[in-house]
Amino acid sequence: MEETAVSSSPETAEQALSNEAAAVPESVSPFLQRLYGTFCSGAVEELHSLYEATFTRLSERHFKNVPWPSAEAVARLLSAGGAGGDIDDEGDEGSSTDLKVFLLLYKELCYRHIHTRLHPTLTQRFESWENYLELFDRALDETLLEYDLPASWVWDILDEFLYHYEVYCQYRVRGRDNKTAEEEAYVRESGASVWNARHVLEYLQALVNKSGIGAWLQGDAAWAPADHGPAAGLGAASSATDGFADGHAAVDDADADDDDAADDACLRTADDGAPSAAPLAAQSTLYRHLGYYAMVALLRAQVSLGDYRMALAVVEPLELLEADAAAIPSTAPTAASATATGARDTRLYTQVTACHVSLYYYAGFACLMLHRYEQAIRLLGTTVHTISRTRQFHTRSYQYEHVNKRLDQMLAMVGIAHCVSHVYIEESLNAWLRDKYGERLTRMRMGELAIFEELYAHACPKFASPAIAAASKQQFMRDMRQFAADIHAPLRSCLRIYRSIHLRKLAEYLELDGSDEERMENIRAALLALKLKSGAAASGEGDGLATAADLDFLIDEHGLVRTQEWRPSRRHADYLLRSISRLGEQAALFRRVQRERLVASAAAHARKVEARRRAELTAQRQLEERERERQEREERERQAREAAAVVAARPMSLAERLRSGGGGGGGW
Amino acid sequence: MASDSEIADLLHSRRYDPAILSTLEAYMERQVRGGADAYDAEANAAVLKLYQLEPDRLQGRTVVLILAKAIMALPSIDLLSCVYLLAPAQAAEASTAASYIGDDGPIRGVLALAERLEAGHFAQFWEELERERADGTALGKLLAEVVDFEQCVRRFMVGALGRTWSRMSPSVLKALTRDDACPHGWRMVTDADEQTVLETPVGSVLSQQPRAAGERLSFERLAPVLCRVGRESARARPRRR
């Protein structure tokens, strides 16, 4: 519809627009007006419910197979409708910015709707990209500073940005089958600028830098000293603003040929060069969320490019591995910063379940690919626990299915990491794993490569190109092949059986071929490889001696291998720590229940006393009542008697006399 | 020529800008000549990333040298994370999706060498390296340019051996590392048969005391328990009276 509007003459375009505006279903236009009004007034709570519930419901009811009305039609609707009433007060300019920003957000919703429910055309894919860029430019030139959005909305914007990117990557790769020749040529031509991996990375990085989320995560102390002077690259605040300028310059550079908006934005920020004291993340919730979630999105983008080390470097400020110990109050150096860090929760991912899952899924995958099996298990295990425990609260969310699938994938990764590294995993997680992948786990331990491949294919994310997917998979399978090589599994079990065994004998048991010298060489190499692997699994933590695996060995000068095995029971400390805290929780719970019961019984007693008192009171009142009635009756009787006396004293009327005369006439 | 801090600035601000490739490549060449200590994994990874984003700019020579530098940094994960980057980010079609490692080039060759190291086949590593050198292959010539390549590989080997053996006869050490010097931290001792053997650092620790397989707990993890104990005992006391 938009295309026809653009191509035809202004009058007909006008006509088409007003037709479209008129065609908007009746229950939808008040919704749009209300959404706009709420957006302008900044009532986040209401916006949240409009966004999460009403939008989904209306999409379901009216736009199941068709896109939402075009932004132009909505603009017309909003400027004509009553919603403009309270906004016009703020003056023309303010309301026009409001409308522009709102329409960007609205268009984002539209394209998202098209991507999830319909098949986007090439034009729509391009427009979606343009729209994201424009939206991000508004964020980068601080226009959005005046507005606020619910956290889930912000997350969805960035999540969808990545999703559209991934979908487009697949679309680009897919063969000629469902593209016309024209589209094909267009995709090839625009390949450099539209949905380009480099621009995606640059924009996300610019958002992270702009928001100053890194400084915010470090706490107050990090940006306060910046007031003393912009020491180049030292103060966190100045580096945040520098970072933005640089980051944006890079974006600008890249887009110089086709993106004027970026130029404008850059100029505008260059003008107000004075660094503000606090990062935007501290000033505005929107920017805080934007920066934080852009970080998670960046993690995902890096993983999709196979850059796992960079991916982990991106989320390093989030201190994911420390997060599970976050219950402990941090020992901050000064009281001021202690209160500052104590007062705020830096774990913004907890606000949106999808973000929580995404963050740990991608970080866990990156760890897995970098052979950091222990870290992977820690990251994934904790998350699987947390999410599965709170899962029932999300059953109605549209992302429920997605979350479930991710949990499944994470469990598969834990399975792989556990098989390869033999790192101890928690009993409950282990039980779950056995329950879900039991048979396959055993077969993986036996070294069956097909199972590794199957679980990897199940667990891996989308990649930016098939080449990257292939490279990652190749490397993964190469590692697994090395792990599952014929020699390694039996070697392990041999080492488990013997306390000490000679190399020659070991070679005999493993039935290695070749001459004596070759066999010795091979067995040495296998032992070395085993050692190197277990060293890598420990991810370089601690000293060189500590291996995460439960098996260790040393060879002496005669070729005697001495082994040392640790039973899982060596994790007493973990177990005890957990049990102690659990006991503490139980005790606290018990105490609370007891206190509540005490309070309840006291209340019951009080009620009983009160009831008795009331009963007595009523009884007494009844008694009094009866007494009064009795008195009244007596009084009445007394009055009656007196009255009777008076009546008797009164002279008889004629009739009475006649009547009594009738009786006693004979006497008269 | 860009200084190290300029490179760091460049990486911070324009990491994905192809225009900085030539600077980074020159920087990499400097690392190759600079020996064991001149190594910047981040800058090298950035080069590979740029190749990934702009496959047309790829230079096989740089890739091989970066991988060689990463081998010198073993057992760090540098090499592994580099390998994942050896594929173009945007392939127009699935058919051209093959990564540019190639089947029979120097990139494949250097990866094969690395594989030998990771699999523990040290003797074979030396044999293959010598063959490349003797044949004068592209890889052999490139590796000859890398200063301290053998020395760093040997350091990696000694580290791995030192964790696996408690004592080792000098002949085995020589066969595996092609070097008869006693490595740093190892000791020459004489065993019961009057033979000279080398004792590794782990071995010397082991011979003095049995290894304590205790657990280490950080205070942070213990702190909440102690807090609780404090609270509980404070709570218990008045009740006893």
Side-chain angles (χ1 to χ4, degrees):
Chain A
M1 195 165 284
E2 280 169 62
E3 284 155 58
T4 54
V6 170
S7 59
S8 49
S9 65
E11 291 85 33
T12 35
E14 195 78 347
Q15 189 61 37
L17 270 182
S18 50
N19 282 347
E20 197 190 342
V24 172
E26 243 170 58
S27 55
V28 174
S29 51
F31 163 73
L32 289 171
Q33 279 165 2
R34 199 158 146 233
L35 192 67
Y36 179 49
T38 323
F39 170 72
C40 295
S41 65
V44 180
E45 301 272 312
E46 197 187 341
L47 206 54
H48 181 255
S49 87
L50 283 176
Y51 168 72
E52 288 266 314
T54 320
F55 180 78
T56 321
R57 207 182 57 227
L58 288 175
S59 297
E60 184 68 29
R61 194 182 303 160
H62 298 290
F63 305 103
K64 211 160 186 168
N65 300 312
V66 285
W68 277 70
S70 74
E72 286 78 5
V74 170
R76 173 171 289 259
L77 198 76
L78 291 179
S79 48
D86 55 330
I87 300 135
D88 284 338
D89 308 342
E90 297 174 30
D92 233 357
E93 200 170 320
S95 86
S96 76
T97 323
D98 281 354
L99 191 61
K100 265 185 210 152
V101 173
F102 177 77
L103 286 179
L104 284 178
L105 290 169
Y106 174 76
K107 272 200 263 180
E108 198 271 329
L109 283 178
C110 289
Y111 291 124
R112 197 195 299 176
H113 175 75
I114 289 169
H115 271 78
T116 34
R117 291 198 175 252
L118 315 164
H119 291 288
T121 65
L122 190 62
T123 328
Q124 280 164 340
R125 288 173 200 271
F126 281 13
E127 282 168 356
S128 165
W129 165 251
E130 298 278 325
N131 190 54
Y132 274 116
L133 292 199
E134 209 170 321
L135 189 59
F136 291 156
D137 280 332
R138 288 289 89 73
L140 291 172
D141 67 13
E142 303 190 11
T143 312
L144 296 187
L145 209 50
E146 297 166 27
Y147 305 101
D148 204 356
L149 285 178
S152 59
W153 194 338
V154 178
W155 163 254
D156 285 344
I157 289 175
L158 288 160
D159 191 44
E160 286 293 322
F161 177 58
L162 260 286
Y163 174 70
H164 292 193
Y165 163 63
E166 286 171 359
V167 168
Y168 187 80
C169 286
Q170 285 180 341
Y171 174 77
R172 179 159 44 203
V173 171
R174 233 181 290 141
R176 253 163 248 274
D177 47 340
N178 44 13
K179 274 181 266 187
T180 62
E182 208 175 322
E183 279 176 337
E184 176 84 25
Y186 205 46
V187 168
R188 214 180 277 283
E189 234 168 77
S190 61
S193 58
V194 177
W195 288 118
N196 173 300
R198 181 152 61 88
H199 294 203
V200 169
L201 292 176
E202 278 168 350
Y203 261 95
L204 290 174
Q205 188 65 53
L207 285 177
V208 170
N209 291 347
K210 178 69 186 171
S211 68
I213 188 75
W216 181 80
L217 285 169
Q218 280 169 22
D220 278 337
W223 69 76
D227 291 334
H228 303 308
L234 285 175
S238 64
S239 81
T241 42
D242 284 355
F244 158 65
D246 296 341
H248 200 89
V251 170
D252 188 36
D253 233 33
D255 290 358
D257 40 7
D258 59 322
D259 204 346
D260 293 334
D263 276 38
D264 290 352
C266 206
L267 284 177
R268 221 168 302 157
T269 44
D271 287 342
D272 50 40
S276 53
L280 293 177
Q283 298 172 23
S284 140
T285 344
L286 177 62
Y287 274 85
R288 187 152 64 232
H289 288 143
L290 201 59
Y292 197 97
Y293 297 149
M295 228 178 214
V296 181
L298 198 53
L299 160 74
R300 176 172 168 184
Q302 297 284 17
V303 166
S304 86
L305 287 170
D307 198 346
Y308 304 113
R309 201 169 61 156
M310 198 62 200
L312 289 180
V314 166
V315 290
E316 207 167 323
L318 305 187
E319 298 178 339
L320 294 182
L321 281 170
E322 281 78 12
D324 53 7
I328 306 142
S330 58
T331 47
T334 62
S337 70
T339 51
T341 47
R344 67 214 180 95
D345 189 4
T346 51
R347 293 177 298 155
L348 297 183
Y349 62 81
T350 52
Q351 295 186 9
V352 185
T353 309
C355 171
H356 188 167
V357 172
S358 202
L359 171 61
Y360 279 90
Y361 167 75
Y362 286 104
F365 185 76
C367 283
L368 182 71
M369 296 305 274
L370 291 181
H371 296 181
R372 295 182 176 172
Y373 300 118
E374 196 181 5
Q375 281 182 18
I377 286 176
R378 266 170 71 195
L379 287 175
L380 296 169
T382 341
T383 315
V384 168
H385 263 298
T386 323
I387 299 296
S388 61
R389 233 181 274 143
T390 55
R391 183 154 51 164
Q392 67 269 28
F393 301 121
H394 308 295
T395 40
R396 297 189 59 197
S397 160
Y398 70 104
Q399 281 175 324
Y400 180 67
E401 285 301 309
H402 174 76
V403 166
N404 261 350
K405 188 182 159 218
R406 280 276 187 257
L407 278 187
D408 237 37
Q409 292 179 314
M410 286 158 101
L411 209 56
M413 287 198 266
V414 171
I416 293 173
H418 179 57
C419 277
V420 176
S421 68
H422 296 264
V423 170
Y424 170 80
I425 60 174
E426 230 186 309
E427 202 40 59
S428 55
L429 190 61
N430 199 6
W432 199 1
L433 205 56
R434 271 201 307 265
D435 188 39
K436 181 102 194 162
Y437 294 110
E439 182 230 6
R440 279 181 277 187
L441 278 187
T442 331
R443 284 166 66 187
M444 274 202 287
R445 276 207 198 95
M446 304 288 283
E448 207 170 310
L449 281 172
I451 306 294
F452 278 112
E453 199 166 353
E454 184 190 325
L455 283 194
Y456 175 82
H458 174 62
C460 74
K462 286 198 187 87
F463 288 100
S465 82
I468 293 172
S472 283
K473 186 173 174 188
Q474 237 169 34
Q475 180 61 30
F476 176 78
M477 288 314 291
R478 206 172 66 89
D479 294 335
M480 293 307 117
R481 213 168 294 130
Q482 221 178 64
F483 160 78
D486 300 336
I487 190 168
H488 283 174
L491 179 61
R492 270 188 165 279
S493 40
C494 256
L495 289 178
R496 266 178 215 287
I497 295 170
Y498 293 95
R499 232 162 218 294
S500 62
I501 184 172
H502 198 273
L503 282 177
R504 200 157 281 121
K505 203 158 209 173
L506 206 51
E508 235 168 74
Y509 283 143
L510 296 177
E511 296 167 358
L512 299 183
D513 317 322
S515 69
D516 197 43
E517 192 49 42
E518 275 173 24
R519 283 161 62 175
M520 283 298 274
E521 157 79 28
N522 281 337
I523 194 77
R524 263 189 218 131
L527 286 168
L528 264 170
L530 203 59
K531 198 74 164 194
L532 284 171
K533 279 269 144 20
S534 61
S539 71
E541 286 172 12
D543 54 8
L545 304 179
T547 54
D550 49 359
L551 183 71
D552 200 9
F553 58 89
L554 277 174
I555 311 170
D556 71 4
E557 73 270 34
H558 307 296
L560 202 62
V561 187
R562 291 173 202 282
T563 63
Q564 187 170 27
E565 191 183 2
W566 289 311
R567 304 276 169 206
S569 62
R570 76 195 171 92
R571 300 281 173 140
H572 283 312
D574 257 349
Y575 175 75
L576 287 176
L577 278 181
R578 222 179 21 255
S579 300
I580 289 172
S581 74
R582 208 171 283 164
L583 179 67
E585 280 164 25
Q586 292 293 321
L589 187 69
F590 173 70
R591 230 174 269 132
R592 207 175 61 223
V593 168
Q594 219 176 20
R595 207 162 41 231
E596 275 166 11
R597 203 177 282 164
L598 218 67
V599 169
S601 74
H605 181 70
R607 266 202 305 279
K608 215 181 283 171
V609 169
E610 172 72 19
R612 200 185 302 144
R613 210 174 55 81
R614 208 169 286 160
E616 276 168 14
L617 212 69
T618 24
Q620 200 180 341
R621 217 172 278 152
Q622 273 172 358
L623 216 66
E624 279 170 13
E625 188 84 354
R626 227 172 289 146
E627 181 70 12
R628 213 177 54 237
E629 273 174 19
R630 198 176 56 78
Q631 281 176 1
E632 274 175 14
R633 205 166 46 237
E634 274 173 13
E635 185 74 7
R636 259 202 309 279
E637 275 168 16
R638 197 172 52 79
Q639 281 175 355
R641 266 201 309 278
E642 278 170 14
V646 173
V647 166
R650 185 171 59 93
M652 265 199 268
S653 67
L654 183 65
E656 279 169 333
R657 239 179 283 161
L658 273 176
R659 221 181 309 144
S660 63
W668 195 51
Chain B
M1 187 163 287
S3 72
D4 292 8
S5 62
E6 279 167 25
I7 295 286
D9 277 353
L10 222 51
L11 287 180
H12 176 69
S13 57
R14 297 165 62 190
R15 179 180 283 269
Y16 308 113
D17 185 355
I20 68 170
L21 248 181
S22 51
T23 318
L24 289 182
E25 280 164 353
Y27 182 52
M28 204 280 309
E29 294 285 341
R30 203 140 51 92
Q31 293 175 39
V32 168
R33 290 190 302 274
D37 297 329
Y39 180 54
D40 188 339
E42 209 188 331
N44 293 350
V47 173
L48 291 183
K49 183 65 161 269
L50 283 169
Y51 286 160
Q52 188 187 44
L53 297 173
E54 309 276 334
D56 303 338
R57 306 278 303 263
L58 179 104
Q59 290 188 22
R61 171 193 160 83
T62 317
V63 176
V64 173
L65 290 177
I66 286 177
L67 290 176
K69 286 301 275 188
I71 288 178
M72 288 162 69
L74 280 175
S76 81
I77 53 156
D78 293 352
L79 180 69
L80 184 64
S81 55
C82 285
V83 171
Y84 288 123
L85 290 175
L86 297 181
Q90 281 187 19
E93 274 174 46
S95 53
T96 58
S99 63
Y100 40 61
I101 293 175
D103 282 338
D104 194 27
I107 301 184
R108 170 63 65 203
V110 75
L111 287 178
L113 281 179
E115 210 165 325
R116 291 278 174 241
L117 284 179
E118 282 172 351
H121 287 289
F122 292 172
Q124 285 183 25
F125 170 84
W126 292 116
E127 279 167 25
E128 279 169 29
L129 186 63
E130 262 160 29
R131 203 176 314 135
E132 296 280 350
R133 291 246 171 93
D135 296 353
T137 59
L139 176 61
K141 282 178 194 154
L142 280 175
L143 288 182
E145 281 183 47
V146 184
V147 179
D148 287 344
F149 182 69
E150 289 181 21
Q151 184 198 325
C152 285
V153 169
R154 204 165 281 137
R155 192 173 60 192
F156 161 70
M157 287 175 168
V158 167
L161 294 173
R163 287 197 292 132
T164 314
W165 268 261
S166 58
R167 285 175 167 199
M168 187 178 234
S169 74
S171 62
V172 175
L173 182 70
K174 178 148 197 298
L176 292 178
T177 63
R178 300 284 163 103
D179 188 26
D180 18 295
C182 176
H184 179 72
W186 295 34
R187 287 193 307 148
M188 296 257 223
V189 289
T190 326
D191 70 351
D193 307 334
E194 299 289 317
Q195 299 279 322
T196 313
V197 294
L198 297 167
E199 193 173 58
T200 63
V202 183
S204 60
V205 172
L206 210 65
S207 60
Q208 283 156 22
Q209 62 193 48
R211 181 174 166 189
E215 292 173 70
R216 270 166 297 182
L217 267 183
S218 66
F219 180 72
E220 274 72 29
R221 300 199 54 193
L222 210 56
V225 175
L226 293 178
C227 277
R228 190 169 286 283
V229 168
R231 266 206 311 277
E232 294 292 333
S233 53
R235 195 194 298 280
R237 217 168 289 133
R239 204 166 285 169
R240 216 176 292 141
R241 267 182 219 150

